[in-house]
């Protein structure tokens, strides 16, 4: 019987929504292996968060509290999660493929002597014959990975796994964090984040994105923002405009930015470079507005409008307001 542990992600006392998708992936593993799963959460003053993880049918929710875990550093959290995996006797470790998950989980795998598959989008097979699908070459192909070590570590793409379903109540266990503060060579200084009333990119059901076709950074506010506000949408951007300093890094959608899969993705002035498509082509419905009929974005769009966005977008916004 396999034992799976999910590494829950939290910052400043708030659970990351991607954690619930990681729980969904663990529940799929349970169905395929006939095992059971636990959840681990690390931090300081997080006892209340354990209650939010108590209804998914996990055998136990392990709570690891330590002053060294008050703010995230990869070294401290890797030590804590490694201790939780050992305490649970885990043969599978699952985390969401977020920025923190990608930073911390490989260190956990190294501590456990485990093989790892990153950015997993599907789990195939059963029992001892599991393989994991992961995107390669900017998502143009899917590779199949088999892990041969006794312990297997996965990061799963949140957009590809449904949130975990409700199950029985779990036992909440507080255990020693196992953190050796003297061995930590990282120091948390501060977090520079974008504060916005709009939904977060990875949580939004609608995303409105802009590219170089907007021509000027001010047009994100003049042209794109009114449509986003009307749709209660998050705002995204291509790497080119982020690198140009037009918009914050936090807005970048793409292979080196954030991977999103909203119900509706509106791309305006975006040509459709492979790097960008890798971050949004899993969206349920894609609408593209571009004056170049040969733009690659139209190859993945469900609906395409060949038009000057400076005419089309304000008209679309006005029509939506008057519905």
């Amino acid at each position: 019987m396999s034992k799976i542990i999910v590494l829950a992600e939290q910052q400043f006392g708030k659970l990351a929504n991607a954690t619930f998708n990681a729980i969904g992936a663990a529940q799929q593993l349970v169905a395929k292996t006939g095992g059971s799963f636990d959840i681990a959460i690390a931090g300081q003053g997080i006892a209340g968060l354990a209650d939010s993880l108590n209804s998914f049918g996990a055998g136990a929710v392990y709570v690891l509290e330590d002053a060294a875990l008050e703010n995230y550093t990869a070294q401290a959290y890797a030590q804590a999660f490694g201790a939780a995996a050992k305490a649970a006797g885990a043969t599978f470790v699952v985390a969401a493929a977020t920025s923190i998950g990608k930073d911390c989980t490989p260190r956990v795998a190294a501590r456990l002597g485990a093989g790892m598959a990153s950015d997993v989008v599907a789990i195939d097979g059963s029992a001892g014959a599991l393989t994991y699908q992961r995107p390669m070459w900017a998502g143009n192909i899917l590779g199949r990975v088999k892990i041969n070590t006794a312990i297997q570590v996965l990061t799963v793409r949140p957009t590809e796994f449904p949130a975990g379903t409700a199950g029985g109540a779990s036992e909440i266990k507080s255990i020693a964090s196992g953190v050796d503060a003297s061995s930590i060579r990282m120091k948390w200084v501060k977090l520079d984040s974008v504060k916005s009333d709009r939904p977060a990119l990875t949580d939004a059901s609608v995303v409105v994105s802009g590219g170089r076709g907007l021509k000027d950074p001010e047009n994100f506010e003049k042209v794109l923002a009114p449509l986003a506000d009307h749709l209660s949408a998050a705002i995204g951007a291509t790497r080119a405009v982020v690198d140009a300093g037009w918009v914050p890094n936090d807005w970048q959608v793409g292979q080196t930015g954030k991977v999103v899969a909203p119900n509706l993705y509106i791309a305006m002035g975006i040509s459709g470079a492979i790097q960008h498509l890798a971050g949004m082509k899993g969206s349920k419905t894609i609408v593209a507005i571009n004056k170049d009929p040969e733009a690659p974005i139209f190859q993945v769009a469900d609906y395409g409008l060949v038009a000057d966005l400076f005419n089309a977008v304000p008209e679309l916004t006005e029509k939506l307001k008057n519905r």
Side-chain angles (χ1 to χ4, degrees), residues 141-315:
I141 61 172
L142 289 176
R144 292 182 184 273
V145 177
K146 186 176 187 296
I147 302 175
N148 295 319
T149 51
I151 301 175
Q152 303 186 25
V153 176
L154 320 173
T155 57
V156 297
R157 186 174 284 189
T159 56
E160 302 298 326
F161 290 89
T165 55
S170 309
E171 181 184 2
I172 296 177
K173 296 182 178 180
S174 293
I175 63 172
S177 69
V179 177
D180 178 6
S182 65
S183 69
I184 298 172
R185 301 186 302 277
M186 294 176 169
K187 179 181 179 182
W188 189 90
V189 178
K190 65 177 180 176
L191 175 66
D192 286 327
S193 61
V194 177
K195 292 180 170 58
S196 174
D197 293 332
R198 295 190 179 98
L201 259 179
T202 52
D203 298 336
S205 59
V206 181
V207 173
V208 178
S209 282
R212 282 181 294 188
L214 283 165
K215 297 183 180 179
D216 190 284
E218 291 183 358
N219 288 326
F220 270 83
E221 194 62 36
K222 291 179 180 178
V223 179
L224 187 149
L227 178 60
D229 289 340
H230 182 71
L231 296 173
S232 299
I235 292 181
T238 61
R239 177 175 176 172
V241 298
V242 169
D243 287 349
W246 289 13
V247 297
N249 289 353
D250 200 52
W251 289 11
Q252 184 180 331
V253 174
Q255 186 180 17
T256 55
K258 294 181 178 177
V259 177
V260 300
N263 293 327
L264 174 62
Y265 189 91
I266 302 176
M268 56 181 70
I270 294 174
S271 62
I274 289 175
Q275 198 273 349
H276 185 75
L277 297 183
M280 48 65 72
K281 65 183 180 181
S283 304
K284 308 302 182 290
T285 302
I286 299 171
V287 176
I289 302 172
N290 198 299
K291 65 181 180 181
D292 178 7
E294 302 300 321
I297 190 71
F298 288 124
Q299 296 177 15
V300 299
D302 298 285
Y303 301 95
L305 176 62
V306 179
D308 186 332
L309 69 87
F310 294 103
N311 297 323
V313 175
E315 183 179 352

